């Protein structure tokens, strides 16, 4: 499903990651590593947010050759999401929803699951960090993507929201969506059945 | 599209006006406060009768459009606006419609003025009408391709710098090298634009003063605008002074010797403005007024430099302070205070700031 070819990411002279070839099958995958190991850089590279050397393919589609079709398949939720403070959650979700052409039924289900309807009319600057994170999660699930990248999705949200998020991940996976999730928690503390456990260390990625 | 357009306009178009509110307030003052209604029409009519002025006007429109484009590209680089990248996932026609409407919203002031000029061109049966209409239409469409290509592959946003962003003055490099125009993250190349803009504005004010025989306050305002157009250059000069001459900091010069040296540098860097003012000075004004204007240029630039000494490289605070100083001086000048008195006050403020914050400056 995800294929990295001659991938390398450097900030100036400092090489963060260098991966010759790596392949990941469809499923729910956990990725772990210490702070600064390059998890977020890897996520952002796969999401097409930052530049890198080499290529990345999702279901055979290259980010460099077909960037638009690629991005339709891949959604990303950042560890610390930011949105314009003057917009409301509703405006942002509606915007991405229209661009990604999400079915209305799916959208209302997401809104209800994340309990967004109570506060989504308010501007983002009135949100708590948990509300902001849930809004970002909802945005990441829009458009029936093939791969969702969740960078530290369980931080800042309460236990109930954590459970709802895990249920949604399982349900979306049943419908053919894969997940790459980064977390600092112990694997056993996350109520998900991971297909693989990966580790980012020594400038590369490997199976634990 | 109907649901995405308002959000796009709020995130890009509306923010553009909000972030550049100072510039628009100034333009509003200039066009609707200082100029009378009939002078507006006369100005538009003059532009429509002269091909030279028409080209100059379209150049100003182009600068404005380039400014909007740079703003959009800069905004799309912000993480908070990353959700806007999903515009790139829409069908091509919808993408272009959203971007054109947004561009039209951002171009409104230039377009409104353009339409006024087009009206006079039509009235005077000028062949340039079609040129200007075509230009106005193209100015809404051409920037779209640049933005659209970014939205198609946004990861390239960080790979490629905008043209203006990469044209920067690298003051870490020795000034005698040919590498002066060089990529530097610290500050964009607006400082390079400051000088020609300042000279253009000053010439424009002198020209209009001669033609229309405006009171001397008009020349004060022109000088004021050209002084503040030099602020980015002074910021770069300050960086150069601080980094290149760091050894000088060990020389036991006192604050006043240093200030005199800075005064000489500033006089040299403003020599172009001073020369234009002396050579083209309208004969309707007295020599005393000319000397007052020269002292205003020098003292205001020294005050700007003293702000830098006080704020020590905080670029954002520096420009904010410059903006408020500009507005205050604008109001003082309109209130009828003579330039000589303003320059005297400016010089006193400079000396006070310099005396109080010199230690911060040399460290």
């Amino acid at each position: 499903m995800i294929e990295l070819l001659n991938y390398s990411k450097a900030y100036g002279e400092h090489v963060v990651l260098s991966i010759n070839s790596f392949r990941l099958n469809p499923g729910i995958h956990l990725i772990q590593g210490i702070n600064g190991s390059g998890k977020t850089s890897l996520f952002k590279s796969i999401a097409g947010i930052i530049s890198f050397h080499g290529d990345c393919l999702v279901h055979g589609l290259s980010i460099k050759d077909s960037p638009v079709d690629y991005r339709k398949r891949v959604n990303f939720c950042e560890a610390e999401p930011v949105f314009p403070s003057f917009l409301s959650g509703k405006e942002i979700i509606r915007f991405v929803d229209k661009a990604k052409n999400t079915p209305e039924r799916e959208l209302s289900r997401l809104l209800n699951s994340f309990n967004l309807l109570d506060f989504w009319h308010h501007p983002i600057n009135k949100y708590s960090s948990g509300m902001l994170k849930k809004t970002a999660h909802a945005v990441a699930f829009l458009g029936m993507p093939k791969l969702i990248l969740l960078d530290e999705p369980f931080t800042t949200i309460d236990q109930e929201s954590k459970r709802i998020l895990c249920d949604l991940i399982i349900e979306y996976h049943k419908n053919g969506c894969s997940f790459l999730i980064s977390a600092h928690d112990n694997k056993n503390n996350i109520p998900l059945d991971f297909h693989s456990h990966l580790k980012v260390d020594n400038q590369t990625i490997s199976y634990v | 599209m109907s649901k995405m357009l308002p959000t796009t306009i709020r995130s890009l178009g509306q923010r553009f006006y909000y972030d550049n509110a100072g510039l628009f307030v100034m333009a509003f003052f200039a066009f609707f406060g200082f100029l009378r209604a009939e002078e507006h029409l006369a100005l538009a009519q003059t532009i429509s009768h002269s091909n030279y002025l028409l080209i100059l006007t379209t150049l100003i429109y182009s600068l404005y459009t380039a400014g909007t484009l740079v703003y959009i590209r800069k905004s799309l680089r912000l993480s908070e606006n990353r959700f806007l990248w999903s515009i790139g996932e829409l069908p091509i026609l919808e993408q272009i419609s959203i971007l054109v409407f947004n561009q039209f919203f951002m171009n409104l002031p230039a377009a409104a003025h353009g339409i006024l000029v087009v009206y006079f061109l039509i009235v005077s049966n000028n062949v340039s009408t079609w040129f200007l209409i075509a230009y106005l239409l193209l100015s809404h469409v051409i920037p779209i391709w640049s933005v659209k290509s970014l939205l198609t592959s946004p990861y390239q946003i960080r790979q490629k710098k905008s043209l203006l962003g990469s044209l920067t003055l690298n003051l870490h490099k020795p000034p005698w090298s040919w590498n002066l125009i060089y990529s530097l993250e610290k500050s964009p190349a607006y400082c390079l634009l400051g000088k020609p803009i300042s000279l253009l504005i000053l010439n424009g004010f002198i020209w209009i003063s001669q033609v229309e025989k405006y009171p001397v306050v008009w020349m004060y305002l022109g000088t004021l605008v050209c002084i503040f157009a030099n602020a980015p250059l002074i910021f770069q000069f300050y960086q150069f002074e601080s980094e290149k001459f760091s050894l000088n900091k060990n020389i036991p010069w006192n604050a006043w010797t240093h200030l005199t040296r800075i005064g000489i540098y500033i006089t040299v860097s403003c020599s172009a403005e001073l020369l234009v003012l002396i050579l083209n000075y309208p004969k309707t004004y007295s020599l005393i007024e000319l000397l007052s204007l020269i002292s205003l240029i020098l003292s205001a630039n020294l005050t700007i430099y003293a702000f830098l000494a006080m704020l020590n490289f905080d670029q954002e605070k520096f420009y904010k302070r410059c903006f408020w100083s500009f507005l205050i001086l604008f109001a003082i000048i309109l209130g009828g205070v003579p330039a000589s008195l303003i320059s005297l006050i400016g010089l006193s403020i400079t000396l006070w700031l310099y005396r109080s914050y010199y230690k911060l400056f040399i460290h």
Side-chain angles (χ1 to χ4, degrees), chain B residues 3-165:
Chain B
K3 279 181 182 162
M4 293 176 75
L5 186 62
T7 311
T8 312
I9 287 179
R10 280 193 74 192
S11 309
L12 296 174
Q14 213 169 305
R15 292 304 293 180
F16 171 72
Y17 289 108
Y18 182 83
D19 289 347
N20 295 293
L23 185 75
F24 287 108
V25 167
M26 255 172 60
F28 190 81
F29 258 122
F31 277 90
F32 299 103
F34 201 72
L35 288 182
R36 294 182 288 267
E38 61 272 23
E39 285 168 338
H40 264 295
L41 298 175
L43 193 66
Q45 215 162 9
T46 313
I47 293 167
S48 68
H49 281 106
S50 155
N51 283 340
Y52 168 73
L53 283 178
L54 198 62
I55 291 169
L56 197 74
T57 312
T58 48
L59 274 177
I60 294 169
Y61 294 163
S62 305
L63 265 179
Y64 181 88
T65 309
T68 60
L69 182 60
V70 169
Y71 183 85
I72 295 176
R73 289 171 67 102
K74 218 167 101 180
S75 299
L76 286 173
R77 244 182 266 149
L78 301 173
S79 348
E80 65 175 40
N81 286 331
R82 211 167 275 154
F83 75 100
L84 289 171
W85 292 5
S86 49
I87 295 175
E89 295 173 34
L90 287 169
I92 183 91
L93 207 63
E94 282 188 49
Q95 272 183 57
I96 291 175
S97 312
I98 288 176
L99 296 175
V100 165
F101 275 115
N102 181 64
Q103 188 65 38
F104 178 72
F105 183 75
M106 288 170 93
N107 271 0
L108 263 181
H113 190 262
I115 289 165
L116 185 70
V117 177
V118 164
Y119 167 75
F120 281 109
L121 285 171
I122 292 170
V123 168
S124 60
N125 253 337
N126 195 320
V127 282
S128 309
T129 313
W130 296 110
F131 158 74
L132 193 62
I133 291 174
Y135 173 81
L136 286 173
L137 289 173
L138 284 176
S139 70
H140 287 87
V141 177
I142 288 173
I144 303 308
W145 299 109
S146 167
V147 179
K148 207 189 97 39
S149 67
L150 284 181
L151 289 170
T152 306
S153 48
Y155 65 93
Q156 286 181 357
I157 285 175
R158 284 173 195 274
Q159 282 180 321
K160 292 178 187 172
K161 283 185 175 177
S162 67
L163 180 66
L164 274 178

Side-chain angles (χ1 to χ4, degrees), chain B residues 233-287:
Chain B
L233 190 67
I234 292 180
F235 189 83
Q236 289 281 1
F237 173 63
Y238 174 78
Q239 283 187 323
F240 176 71
E241 163 75 16
S242 303
E243 291 172 24
K244 204 70 210 152
F245 289 98
S246 54
L247 279 177
N248 289 352
K249 289 171 186 171
N250 300 324
I251 298 172
W253 276 340
N254 62 31
W256 310 122
T257 325
H258 193 251
L259 186 63
T260 313
R261 197 157 57 88
I262 299 301
I264 294 167
Y265 287 162
I266 284 175
T267 312
V268 172
S269 64
C270 294
S271 54
E273 281 89 354
L274 295 175
L275 210 66
V276 165
L277 197 62
I278 292 165
L279 291 178
N280 304 325
Y281 190 67
K283 289 182 178 62
T284 40
Y285 305 143
S286 69
L287 188 67

Side-chain angles (χ1 to χ4, degrees), chain B residues 189-201 226 229-233 273:
Chain B
Y190 302 127
C191 72
L192 293 174
L193 292 172
K195 199 48 105 178
I197 289 174
S198 149
L199 291 172
L200 202 71
I201 291 169
C226 94
N230 266 320
L233 190 67
E273 281 89 354

Side-chain angles (χ1 to χ4, degrees), chain A residues 109 113 141 154 160-174 191-192:
Chain A
R109 202 169 66 89
S113 304
F141 278 84
F154 305 116
E160 176 62 11
S161 304
K162 194 172 168 180
R163 191 191 56 76
I164 292 167
L165 178 63
C166 288
D167 289 347
L168 267 172
I169 290 172
I170 293 164
E171 202 184 318
Y172 267 64
H173 174 59
K174 278 180 191 161
L192 285 171

Side-chain angles (χ1 to χ4, degrees), chain B residues 227 266 292-306 329 339-350:
Chain B
I227 288 168
I266 284 175
S292 307
L293 285 171
I294 291 171
S295 61
L296 181 68
I297 290 179
L298 295 177
S299 81
N301 278 304
L302 271 170
T303 315
I304 291 176
Y305 201 84
L329 281 173
S340 49
L341 185 61
I342 298 171
S343 44
L344 199 69
I345 295 168
L347 208 59
S348 312
I349 293 173
T350 307

